Amino acid sequence: MGLTSQSLEYTVIVLALACVAATVWFWPRLSRRGVRSVLGRLGAIVMTQLSIVCALALAVNSSFEFYGTWDELLGNNEEAPVSVSQGGGNYADVGNIKGGLVQAAGPQGLDRVSGLPKGPADKVGKVESVRIVGRRTRAINPGFVYLPPQYFQPQFRRQRFPVMVVISGYPGGIMNLAQHLQVPQNAGKLIAQGRMQPTVIVMVRPTIAPPRDTECVDVPGGPQAETFFTKDLPDAMRSAYRVGHDPSAWGAFGYSSGGTCSLQLAMRNPNVYTSAVSLSGDYAIKDDLTTGSLFGSGAAGEQHQREHDLLWRMQHLPVPQISALVASSRKGEADYGDTMKFLHAAKPPMTVDSIILPQGSHQFSTWRREVVPALEWQSRQLTFPQDTEANGTQRRPGAGPGPGAGPAQRPGPSKAPADKARGRVEAEPSRR
């Protein structure tokens, strides 16, 4: 049974309950004096406590996804491959890629999520459970990949699709994106309604070295999280999926720590991500108990930390040509003041829009109100269709027949250039 499987979690819970029941039942017999009785009582207490702790640990890990596999828990992660699959071959189904940069994984909790696409992929789309392998960083990150119906339709078989990299908060994991925010479910509905263009969505967690919070930072002498998100992940997605090569096709999206990462990735790497969505994210990264030392010591460390302060960057460094959407609440969220500072500091060529709720808090009930308008907003920033492939051989099984297709149709909303440095995304409560 997999580490995050529902069957393992239920089995351990049943064993814990059985241990408690057995301890209560046999305790009168163990209440006598003598070495055997004392050892029996100690054994019963240890077994009961151990089973309860294991059940709780599995439940917490299943929810927050600190470890996705037994190998990851035991530190037996495999070495990342040293070569990248290049264009020119067939796009294989993820389940058939062996030793590649995107590998099929177990359910990773996906079997517990309701509302996912069911039926023919060319009608409803598909969600795949994968592991993303970093060629440079040698990190292995769990992920879900949503593929829209158009990905499998014949008229789009030579098109590359835009990509949203959706990042969860810390210590949460990818399950939160599918179960609580329902990112693939909402995207599917929006695409079907013509309110969002066909987009490939890859859902990942912000840390590449759990349980440490790496905050999408390249740590001196430590995990290279920024490199993973700006080089390894795009390389992996392009090696396994028919996605855009131009930065105009790539956007970052996240809540809480994931929102912090999204803004950092786009502002620091506008040649990789040209748009970012931050729901309740921070605007500066600081060391704490979960991160350890992210920047190093001395003058170099201080400068490294300053460069991860986005307000400092806008005052002292060239402003990148990206679009950003930030979300907060006037009452109930600690980042409201910094959000307003960020909005007022924005200047061309950067454009910033906002979702400001009258009242909210740092939890899923707030982010669920914001996720649909945020998905629509980012869809308008991404370019589709991307460049077409030179021939019909580079395609994914199920994407349709071979070469010879005509020009691709464009079913989704087009990208509208922003003409202001700041704005607001208004969303009616019924649409959230």
Side-chain angles (χ1 to χ4, degrees):
M1 289 183 283
L3 181 60
T4 59
S5 68
Q6 206 168 21
S7 56
L8 177 63
E9 186 178 344
Y10 288 162
T11 299
V12 174
I13 290 173
V14 170
L15 288 175
L17 294 174
C19 286
V20 172
T23 299
V24 172
W25 181 261
F26 289 107
W27 194 260
R29 301 184 186 183
L30 300 173
S31 62
R32 303 168 185 170
R33 295 182 179 179
V35 175
R36 293 181 63 184
S37 296
V38 171
L39 293 176
R41 291 196 294 272
L42 288 173
I45 292 172
V46 169
M47 290 301 297
T48 301
Q49 295 295 322
L50 184 62
S51 63
I52 292 173
V53 168
C54 287
L56 290 174
L58 282 172
V60 170
N61 185 68
S62 179
S63 177
F64 295 117
E65 297 179 31
F66 292 112
Y67 301 99
T69 65
W70 290 107
D71 283 337
E72 196 173 83
L73 175 65
L74 299 173
N76 297 328
N77 290 331
E78 63 187 63
E79 290 287 308
V82 296
S83 61
V84 180
S85 301
Q86 300 293 330
N90 291 332
Y91 282 95
D93 186 83
V94 170
N96 295 328
I97 294 178
K98 185 176 181 180
L101 300 181
V102 178
Q103 302 173 358
Q108 301 184 127
L110 203 60
D111 52 342
R112 303 199 301 269
V113 178
S114 60
L116 294 176
K118 292 182 179 179
D122 61 345
K123 302 294 184 184
V124 298
K126 183 180 180 182
V127 179
E128 298 183 332
S129 178
V130 302
R131 299 189 311 162
I132 299 170
V133 181
R135 180 173 64 88
R136 299 168 184 82
T137 61
R138 300 187 177 274
I140 300 177
N141 219 12
F144 297 145
V145 177
Y146 167 76
L147 302 170
Q150 290 80 4
Y151 191 93
F152 303 94
Q153 294 172 3
Q155 64 267 38
F156 298 99
R157 67 181 178 271
R158 293 176 59 188
Q159 294 296 158
R160 294 192 175 99
F161 288 73
V163 185
M164 289 186 191
V165 178
V166 182
I167 309 170
S168 69
Y170 176 89
I174 53 177
M175 266 289 289
N176 290 339
L177 296 169
Q179 187 172 41
H180 296 302
L181 286 191
Q182 297 197 325
V183 170
Q185 299 93 317
N186 283 316
K189 292 175 184 177
L190 291 172
I191 292 171
Q193 295 167 5
R195 294 162 55 189
M196 177 176 167
Q197 60 190 347
T199 304
V200 172
I201 301 176
V202 53
M203 291 158 271
V204 289
R205 63 191 182 191
T207 178
I208 65 167
R212 183 179 184 181
D213 183 9
T214 50
E215 290 281 350
C216 298
V217 172
D218 278 352
V219 181
Q224 303 294 289
E226 185 173 13
T227 297
F228 177 85
F229 280 98
T230 58
K231 293 184 172 63
D232 285 346
L233 188 149
D235 280 354
M237 290 297 294
R238 291 173 185 132
S239 74
Y241 297 99
R242 213 166 61 251
V243 295
H245 290 189
D246 192 84
S248 65
W250 286 76
F253 184 121
Y255 70 89
S256 190
S257 294
T260 304
C261 281
S262 297
L263 280 178
Q264 293 278 342
L265 292 172
M267 288 194 67
R268 291 173 55 83
N269 304 274
N271 59 329
V272 179
Y273 298 99
T274 54
S275 70
V277 171
S278 174
L279 309 182
S280 303
D282 293 325
Y283 301 91
I285 295 177
K286 300 177 181 178
D287 291 344
D288 59 30
L289 291 176
T290 63
T291 64
S293 177
L294 291 174
F295 305 105
S297 58
E302 292 177 0
Q303 179 62 22
H304 192 192
Q305 185 168 1
R306 277 194 295 270
E307 291 175 357
H308 283 273
D309 183 329
L310 301 185
L311 292 172
W312 182 92
R313 290 187 69 89
M314 284 199 284
Q315 294 173 2
H316 297 89
L317 298 176
V319 176
Q321 187 172 350
I322 65 167
S323 54
L325 173 67
V326 294
S328 186
S329 304
R330 291 189 184 91
K331 185 177 180 181
E333 290 200 69
D335 72 332
Y336 174 69
D338 285 342
T339 297
M340 300 311 295
K341 290 179 183 177
F342 184 80
L343 286 168
H344 287 100
K347 55 188 176 181
M350 181 178 177
T351 62
V352 183
D353 296 316
S354 66
I355 298 175
I356 305 296
L357 301 180
Q359 185 170 346
S361 54
H362 201 79
Q363 60 179 332
F364 287 106
S365 61
T366 299
W367 302 323
R368 278 193 292 266
R369 298 170 63 190
E370 299 165 342
V371 66
V372 169
L375 286 170
E376 290 184 271
W377 178 91
Q378 186 155 71
S379 178
R380 292 194 295 270
Q381 316 308 311
L382 305 178
T383 302
F384 179 80
Q386 276 286 300
D387 52 326
T388 58
E389 294 175 341
N391 55 63
T393 61
Q394 291 184 304
R395 58 187 175 87
R396 191 179 172 79
Q409 303 171 11
R410 182 172 182 164
S414 61
K415 179 178 177 180
D419 57 359
K420 59 185 183 304
R422 294 184 299 275
R424 174 169 298 183
V425 175
E426 297 290 352
E428 296 297 328
S430 62
R431 291 176 60 191
R432 294 169 180 165

